[in-house]
Amino acid sequence: MTLPRAVVESTVAFRDVMSDDGTLLRAWTNDPDGVIDGPTVLLCNGLGTSPWNWPALLHTDCGVRVVSWHHRGTSGSDRPLDPEQVGLDQFVEDALSVMDHFGLERPVVMGWSVGVATMFELAAAHPERVGGLFAVAGVPGDTFSTTLGPLRMPRPAARAVTLTASRVLRVAGRLLTPLAARLEVGPRLIDVLAHTGLMFKVPDPELAALALQEFLSTPVEWYFHLAVRTSHHSRVSLRRIKVPCLFVAGTWDVLAGARHMAAAAQQVRDGTYVEIRGSHFVQMEQPDLVHQLLVDFLRRVDVLRSVSR
């Protein structure tokens, strides 16, 4: 089902949230009118991405209230005064600030891409604030070493290649940003991308175009500055994770290898792994399936909470 742009944008409300270090964040929820009857989930989104990357959450009958925010320096969130004050540690602090603003005590946390590393670090550092972890196309830290998964490159080689490319793009970004701003973004471009292997066809190309347009509003050099800064954080020790976890991987994901996600699921005490034919954008390609997995996981966590009381 394709929703008109005006309808899609009306399903999201934005809030200003001050992080602990004084950085103003643009937070959002998919329940502006308080009509969604269901549990609340904190979403640690992909780097520089937006609500429009989650088609199934933009319907008032989705049954899941979502709270999230835009990363520092993207889509209305301020850059910190010190540009080095970005990375997983700061993302975790931002997550806590958003949780406090919306009154979330111990929600299930959902992550996508680098947001998976953020949510695992949040769960490890503040276990009392997390009720469960739903990971989509991402790994618990050291993200660069799990890229190019379908090529089955050794982790050190994958890390070297992608980190070097990110550093080059951080420097060259000032030249690329004006070109990205002039790019004609629409369903036709989404169709082209669907033939590159980076992503597959999506049921709502217009919404995907809106998501890409929002993503390209971030200067290229700042995006890759954020990406490189996340590489400074080591992998999270999964022995510290004591809550239920579900890992949802895309078989052909070139940014977060499915085999690395499967290995992480085996290391978690209460981990489950599901693999779907898709790419890094599996929640856009198969939104209903990923959403059903989320709903089922929320029910499972609720049952476990009831039993433990």
Side-chain angles (χ1 to χ4, degrees), residues 33-65:
D33 301 316
V35 299
I36 293 181
D37 182 19
T40 299
V41 167
L42 176 75
L43 169 62
C44 298
N45 216 351
L47 193 61
T49 60
S50 66
W52 324 130
N53 292 93
W54 293 88
L57 299 177
L58 301 178
H59 299 267
T60 55
D61 62 350
C62 71
V64 181
R65 176 177 177 251

Side-chain angles (χ1 to χ4, degrees), residues 42-55 68 71 109-119 134-139 143 198-199 211 215 223 248 250 253 255-256 261 279-285 290:
L42 176 75
L43 169 62
C44 298
N45 216 351
L47 193 61
T49 60
S50 66
W52 324 130
N53 292 93
W54 293 88
S68 188
H71 291 96
V109 183
M110 176 167 63
W112 172 43
S113 191
V114 78
V116 172
T118 301
M119 74 175 191
F134 185 85
V136 179
V139 292
T143 304
L198 180 64
M199 67 181 295
F215 175 77
Y223 175 84
V248 181
D253 187 347
L255 298 179
M261 292 190 67
S279 73
H280 194 62
F281 303 90
V282 64
Q283 86 284 3
M284 300 172 67
E285 297 155 355
V290 174

Side-chain angles (χ1 to χ4, degrees), residues 17 26 36 44 49 67 82 84 126 130 133 136 141 144 154 170 179 181-182 187 195 207 233-234 237 278 280 283 288:
V17 175
R26 194 183 195 208
I36 293 181
C44 298
T49 60
V67 167
D82 180 357
E84 298 303 301
H126 303 275
V130 175
L133 297 169
V136 179
F144 281 94
R170 180 173 60 176
L179 298 177
R182 291 197 295 269
H195 289 84
L207 184 60
H233 200 286
S234 60
S237 172
H280 194 62
Q283 86 284 3
D288 293 338

Side-chain angles (χ1 to χ4, degrees), residues 95-142:
L96 292 169
S97 296
V98 171
M99 291 171 69
D100 292 341
H101 179 87
F102 283 90
L104 308 185
E105 294 183 3
R106 197 167 183 256
V108 166
V109 183
M110 176 167 63
W112 172 43
S113 191
V114 78
V116 172
T118 301
M119 74 175 191
F120 270 95
E121 181 60 32
L122 173 64
H126 303 275
E128 76 285 356
R129 300 299 303 268
V130 175
L133 297 169
F134 185 85
V136 179
V139 292
D142 197 16

Side-chain angles (χ1 to χ4, degrees), residues 3-258:
L3 295 175
R5 178 168 180 164
V7 173
V8 168
E9 293 179 336
S10 71
T11 63
V12 176
F14 297 93
R15 304 279 188 271
D16 286 339
V17 175
M18 191 71 71
S19 195
D20 283 353
D21 68 352
T23 302
L24 188 66
L25 307 173
R26 194 183 195 208
W28 59 268
T29 177
N30 69 336
D31 189 22
D33 301 316
V35 299
I36 293 181
D37 182 19
T40 299
V41 167
L42 176 75
L43 169 62
C44 298
N45 216 351
L47 193 61
T49 60
S50 66
W52 324 130
N53 292 93
W54 293 88
L57 299 177
L58 301 178
H59 299 267
T60 55
D61 62 350
C62 71
V64 181
R65 176 177 177 251
V66 175
V67 167
S68 188
W69 76 100
H70 294 298
H71 291 96
R72 297 172 171 226
T74 73
S75 299
S77 288
D78 287 348
R79 295 187 188 186
L81 294 177
D82 180 357
E84 298 303 301
Q85 290 300 305
V86 291
L88 286 188
D89 290 338
Q90 286 74 32
F91 296 165
V92 168
E93 290 303 318
D94 293 345
L96 292 169
S97 296
V98 171
M99 291 171 69
D100 292 341
H101 179 87
F102 283 90
L104 308 185
E105 294 183 3
R106 197 167 183 256
V108 166
V109 183
M110 176 167 63
W112 172 43
S113 191
V114 78
V116 172
T118 301
M119 74 175 191
F120 270 95
E121 181 60 32
L122 173 64
H126 303 275
E128 76 285 356
R129 300 299 303 268
V130 175
L133 297 169
F134 185 85
V136 179
V139 292
D142 197 16
T143 304
F144 281 94
S145 70
T146 66
T147 55
L148 308 177
L151 301 180
R152 305 193 73 82
M153 292 180 66
R155 292 180 74 121
R159 177 181 173 84
V161 169
T162 53
L163 187 53
T164 298
S166 295
R167 286 172 173 158
V168 170
L169 289 167
R170 180 173 60 176
V171 174
R174 292 185 183 278
L175 299 176
L176 298 175
T177 294
L179 298 177
R182 291 197 295 269
L183 192 64
E184 185 177 344
V185 178
R188 183 175 298 178
L189 178 58
I190 298 302
D191 184 60
V192 171
L193 291 174
H195 289 84
T196 63
L198 180 64
M199 67 181 295
F200 294 165
K201 284 187 175 295
V202 296
D204 192 340
E206 291 186 2
L207 184 60
L210 183 60
L212 178 57
Q213 189 175 43
E214 184 68 35
F215 175 77
L216 292 175
S217 69
T218 298
V220 174
E221 65 274 18
W222 182 254
Y223 175 84
F224 282 100
H225 175 67
L226 294 176
V228 170
R229 289 292 300 172
T230 65
S231 72
H232 296 174
H233 200 286
S234 60
R235 279 180 284 176
V236 177
S237 172
L238 296 180
R239 288 176 296 181
R240 299 164 62 189
I241 305 302
K242 307 299 182 183
V243 294
C245 303
L246 177 61
F247 292 78
V248 181
T251 302
W252 305 109
D253 187 347
V254 298
L255 298 179

